[in-house]
Amino acid sequence: MAYTRDTEVVERLKPEAVTPEEQAAMAGVEDLDFEIFQHKMNMIALEGKETTMKLGASTGMRWGDVAFGIYTALGDLSVVATGIWFHAVLGQIPVKYIVKHYLNDPTVGVEAGDSFFFNDPFYSGVHAADMGLCVPVFAEGELLCFVGANVHTGENGSAEPGGQPIAAKSRYEEGLMVPPIKVGENYTLREDLMTMLGTATRDPRTMVLDIKARLAACRIVERRIQAIVAEKGVAFFRGALRKILATTARAARKKVSKLNDGTWRQPRFLDIVGSEEKLVKIGICLEKKGDKLKLTFDGVSPLLDNHPQNSFFQGIIGLAMVYFCGWFFHDLPANNALLDALDWEFPDKTIVKASGDAPTALAPSVQTCFVHGIFLIGARMIYNLDPKRAVASWFSGFGVPYFGGFNQWEEPVADISPELNATGAGARPDQDGVNGAGAFFATMSDCSDVETTEADRPFLYLFRNYFKNSYGPGKYRGGSGVGFGVAIHHVPWLAMGGLGYGSKYPATLGIFGGYAVPSGFIQTVHGSDIKKHLAESDRDLPVDLDQLYEEGNPEKGNRGLHNITMGITPFVNGDTYYMPAGGGAGYGDVLEREAEAVMADVREGLVSRETAANLYKVAFDPETLLVDQEGTEKLRRDAFQERKARGVPLEQFEEEWAKLSPPRSALTYYGGYPHPKPKRDFGLPF
């Protein structure tokens, strides 16, 4: 046993080699029995997921940031119930760690009734706020499989509340980081370890309840599996579970083989480092040849030694599976056998391959930035095979408030709010995106109802609804996002911040001529007089984000505008906080959008009159909002001719474009402009 990080086990994301016992067992599984088995296992996993959500306490657990998986005895994910695909794929690493280190260790061991907890992001792949628990399942004295739940709990005792400290300078400021550890034996949790885990965080009640919720779900699934084994036998179960992986791998490679061979590239940019307005790059390259895809990188900013905006490579692979599980391989089982069709190479000492003591609390920003590039590549790559699946991206900016303090019941709280699960879906080739669809990384998630959030969080919602121009325009527009405002309520104070990116450079780009999602930002008002206006039932108070910035807003106080990533700040009773959850990206040329569809959005309050006239080039009566068809056709003809007049040969465009550069002040961490280098020996970045 080496008391350091195990760099070998995290490389084992693909299925383990088939054992002779598994091979023999698969041969005895008939096709009809196999189909019935798959259905039963999916339903069992779904029961585990729903149980976890119903019993937990954190925002993530209650509203769908949950993955429940069933793993082989070797640790491979075979069955999962989730909409948050990266937890499902990454959840196997802690299981494989347990198999490797504890299965035959006499001081630990793996026995019936055991339970193992983990949240070290090196093994879980994302950040320390994501936590998991798994249990081994035995029958007839043999280890059959593992089952486990992975959930964002939201508080891990880091230097700032909410589990994602934006000011962390090393991993030692990021709070509790537990490699897989046995926390229960003989079907009982150990109270000494529960006490330790609870007191290591600001919110012990939520921490412990979430652990117990995971365990309760695991025990239900354990009983369901043992019932199947009692009916069909150990050999059948082992063979059928492995057969799911084998059939998935073959199907994945077959689907990849239908794509055109080629190489797709996509640069992506983050406009924030910690809370500094700085620019970093992730240059993505995806090559398809035969029945394989290969992920490499073409210019990535170097590792940020003193900022938490780094990701472990395994987390990047996990986020890639958000696209592959949910979109490209949507018709195949979601398990790690899909990775049989994907190879990868990561550049060392970069923000996509963290190492040493570099902090990773803001890894979700790096990972969501990366996976948006995969969505853009995927739309182009799949168009020839299945154009209806070549869709624009859901909102990828990952904007979310986080907070810590005490609630109105004098209980400690530290968590995130659920509005990140109310973003817009991307536009599609034949229709608009869905408004308030969810989160691209957790498509089965929910944003809570306001009353439930207010019941145990110290907030008073001032409004939460759609707002104008929240999405990317196009022939088909993205789904609208949600804007909301809250006042600190029932408590003397609360600490709040914000996480995400996209305040300077758009976080979510359109496809095939569609527009990006507009940039977003946070507004705060300290010393607000909002409660005075509420007591007077002031009808001039804003009821959406649009009115917030119009003249006549009566709220007074010390108003501030902030990037989506905002450092933790004390708010007192009555202070207000306003934030957007962005919409989806646009698909196709705005000049091809039906004028009537544009005006329907104007009437519904989803797009402004100015955007209708100046961007979509729709002529309309300002009183009746009826379309002037002839006027619209003329405006669009003129706009098209103007575009043609601006056009220049590619060589001339490239020559002029190469002379441009972002401000020198933005390139501190870029790594050498225009092509960043992975190591910190590149000299000045200019």
Side-chain angles (χ1 to χ4, degrees):
M1 188 73 183
Y3 300 106
T4 59
R5 286 172 167 169
D6 185 342
T7 57
E8 185 274 335
V9 76
V10 297
E11 298 279 355
R12 288 159 51 184
L13 288 165
K14 296 187 179 185
E16 301 294 309
V18 180
T19 66
E21 293 81 8
E22 288 176 325
Q23 192 69 53
M26 278 195 290
V29 178
E30 299 292 337
D31 289 346
L32 180 59
D33 287 340
F34 180 60
E35 292 296 323
I36 295 171
F37 173 81
Q38 278 190 291
H39 178 72
K40 284 186 175 180
M41 294 302 288
N42 285 327
M43 292 299 100
I44 289 171
L46 183 60
E47 184 180 9
K49 171 179 174 284
E50 294 296 322
T51 301
T52 307
M53 291 175 61
K54 286 178 169 56
L55 296 179
S58 64
T59 295
M61 187 168 286
R62 292 157 72 185
W63 305 114
D65 194 345
V66 176
F68 194 97
I70 300 173
Y71 307 83
T72 68
L74 296 176
D76 291 312
L77 174 73
S78 188
V79 181
V80 65
T82 184
I84 187 159
W85 304 113
F86 65 86
H87 276 334
V89 175
L90 295 172
Q92 65 178 318
I93 299 176
V95 179
K96 290 184 177 182
Y97 182 99
I98 292 166
V99 172
K100 176 180 178 179
H101 291 289
Y102 299 153
L103 187 62
N104 298 311
D105 187 302
T107 67
V108 182
V110 177
E111 305 290 344
D114 287 349
S115 50
F116 295 85
F117 172 85
F118 45 86
N119 83 312
D120 188 334
F122 185 72
Y123 301 109
S124 298
V126 185
H127 56 174
D130 290 333
M131 306 182 186
L133 183 138
C134 69
V135 306
V137 179
F138 286 80
E140 300 177 12
E142 294 187 44
L143 176 62
L144 282 177
C145 64
F146 289 83
V147 300
N150 295 276
V151 187
H152 180 103
T153 282
E155 167 57 21
N156 71 314
S158 61
E160 300 170 20
Q164 301 168 87
I166 68 172
K169 296 185 181 300
S170 77
R171 68 187 180 104
Y172 303 109
E173 298 175 55
E174 295 185 321
L176 185 71
M177 292 187 182
V178 181
I181 184 174
K182 186 184 289 190
V183 294
E185 299 172 305
N186 299 319
Y187 297 94
T188 303
L189 288 170
R190 288 183 48 169
E191 287 302 319
D192 57 342
L193 292 177
M194 289 300 98
T195 300
M196 182 199 75
L197 294 173
T199 55
T201 74
R202 295 174 178 83
D203 189 352
R205 170 182 169 273
T206 296
M207 180 74 169
V208 173
L209 281 176
D210 277 10
I211 290 174
K212 291 182 175 180
R214 295 182 186 95
L215 180 57
C218 286
R219 293 303 178 207
I220 289 173
V221 171
E222 178 184 30
R223 292 197 296 271
R224 300 286 186 261
I225 289 173
Q226 288 172 337
I228 291 178
V229 174
E231 177 185 354
K232 302 294 291 185
V234 169
F236 172 85
F237 182 89
R238 179 177 287 116
L241 200 62
R242 183 68 203 214
K243 189 172 181 177
I244 293 175
L245 296 170
T247 56
T248 300
R250 288 195 299 270
R253 291 195 302 271
K254 181 178 179 180
K255 187 161 188 177
V256 169
S257 71
K258 296 179 181 179
L259 297 169
N260 289 333
D261 284 359
T263 301
W264 291 263
R265 290 180 172 86
Q266 182 67 51
R268 291 291 297 122
F269 301 93
L270 276 166
D271 61 1
I272 195 99
V273 172
S275 58
E276 299 179 54
E277 294 178 356
K278 305 293 183 181
L279 197 67
V280 292
K281 178 183 178 182
I282 305 172
I284 307 165
C285 181
L286 192 66
E287 179 185 6
K288 185 269 171 179
K289 187 174 182 180
D291 63 355
K292 284 279 192 174
L293 295 166
K294 185 172 182 179
L295 172 67
T296 56
F297 293 86
D298 182 19
V300 181
S301 292
L303 185 72
L304 301 170
D305 295 321
N306 296 314
H307 292 278
Q309 213 149 283
N310 304 291
S311 171
F312 295 117
F313 87 90
Q314 51 270 36
I316 295 290
I317 296 299
L319 264 291
M321 296 310 289
V322 172
Y323 174 74
F324 287 116
C325 289
W327 275 264
F328 182 62
F329 293 126
H330 66 93
D331 49 355
L332 298 181
N335 56 55
N336 69 309
L338 297 174
L339 290 171
D340 194 60
L342 179 67
D343 295 326
W344 52 82
E345 290 180 7
F346 282 78
D348 292 330
K349 298 182 180 179
T350 60
I351 59 174
V352 296
K353 193 176 182 183
S355 59
D357 292 335
T360 58
L362 298 187
S365 292
V366 179
Q367 293 164 359
T368 54
C369 181
F370 158 81
V371 78
H372 177 48
I374 294 296
F375 271 79
L376 292 169
I377 287 173
R380 305 196 302 271
M381 181 177 67
I382 201 176
Y383 190 86
N384 76 295
L385 176 65
D386 189 358
K388 289 294 181 71
R389 290 273 164 181
V391 300
S393 297
W394 293 37
F395 180 68
S396 304
F398 208 76
V400 55
Y402 67 109
F403 58 89
F406 289 84
N407 69 7
Q408 58 268 44
W409 309 109
E410 299 183 0
E411 298 168 332
V413 290
D415 210 330
I416 59 176
S417 88
E419 278 73 30
L420 80 165
N421 293 339
T423 65
R428 293 160 284 184
D430 55 354
Q431 56 187 311
D432 295 340
V434 178
N435 300 334
F440 82 94
F441 59 88
T443 52
M444 302 296 288
S445 59
D446 192 2
C447 65
S448 167
D449 55 271
V450 166
E451 291 79 9
T452 299
T453 300
E454 289 178 335
D456 64 350
R457 300 292 192 254
F459 299 127
L460 174 65
Y461 275 83
L462 305 171
F463 58 80
R464 190 177 77 175
N465 44 34
Y466 302 135
F467 61 102
K468 288 187 181 75
N469 304 326
S470 65
Y471 50 76
K475 178 179 180 180
Y476 296 104
R477 64 163 177 82
S480 182
V482 166
F484 64 99
V486 296
I488 309 306
H489 190 51
H490 282 317
V491 294
W493 65 272
L494 188 73
M496 289 192 71
L499 296 166
Y501 61 99
S503 294
K504 296 288 185 180
Y505 180 88
T508 311
L509 307 181
I511 192 72
F512 303 140
Y515 276 55
V517 178
S519 297
F521 55 91
I522 299 169
Q523 177 178 294
T524 61
V525 183
H526 292 277
S528 170
D529 62 352
I530 193 74
K531 290 196 172 183
K532 168 182 172 292
H533 294 285
L534 290 172
E536 296 170 354
S537 299
D538 191 337
R539 292 181 177 273
D540 291 329
L541 282 176
V543 296
D544 55 36
L545 281 184
D546 309 314
Q547 294 181 12
L548 185 68
Y549 300 102
E550 293 177 355
E551 291 186 13
N553 178 1
E555 183 183 8
K556 298 294 188 296
N558 184 11
R559 198 177 307 272
L561 302 178
H562 312 270
N563 282 298
I564 291 295
T565 290
M566 183 185 83
I568 199 76
T569 304
F571 285 69
V572 301
N573 192 298
D575 287 352
T576 56
Y577 180 109
Y578 302 93
M579 191 179 201
Y587 183 108
D589 192 338
V590 292
L591 297 184
E592 296 181 8
R593 183 164 179 78
E594 291 184 2
E596 292 292 351
V598 175
M599 298 315 298
D601 285 342
V602 171
R603 285 189 288 270
E604 198 172 343
L606 299 181
V607 69
S608 66
R609 296 184 181 209
E610 293 77 11
T611 299
N614 300 329
L615 181 64
Y616 284 110
K617 303 298 182 182
V618 176
F620 57 91
D621 185 297
E623 299 296 329
T624 64
L625 299 183
L626 294 177
V627 175
D628 175 355
Q629 292 292 353
E630 290 185 4
T632 298
E633 290 174 6
K634 182 181 185 306
L635 286 173
R636 290 183 170 184
R637 282 196 305 269
D638 292 346
F640 187 70
Q641 292 302 320
E642 183 185 350
R643 287 182 184 176
K644 290 175 66 176
R646 292 199 310 266
V648 296
L650 177 61
E651 294 78 11
Q652 180 183 341
F653 171 81
E654 289 182 330
E655 182 182 356
E656 295 173 356
W657 184 262
K659 298 175 183 177
L660 303 176
S661 171
R664 293 166 61 93
S665 60
L667 297 175
T668 306
Y669 306 106
Y670 195 86
Y673 187 82
H675 303 296
K677 301 176 180 63
K679 296 182 180 179
R680 286 187 171 275
D681 56 5
F682 47 77
L684 293 175
F686 315 114

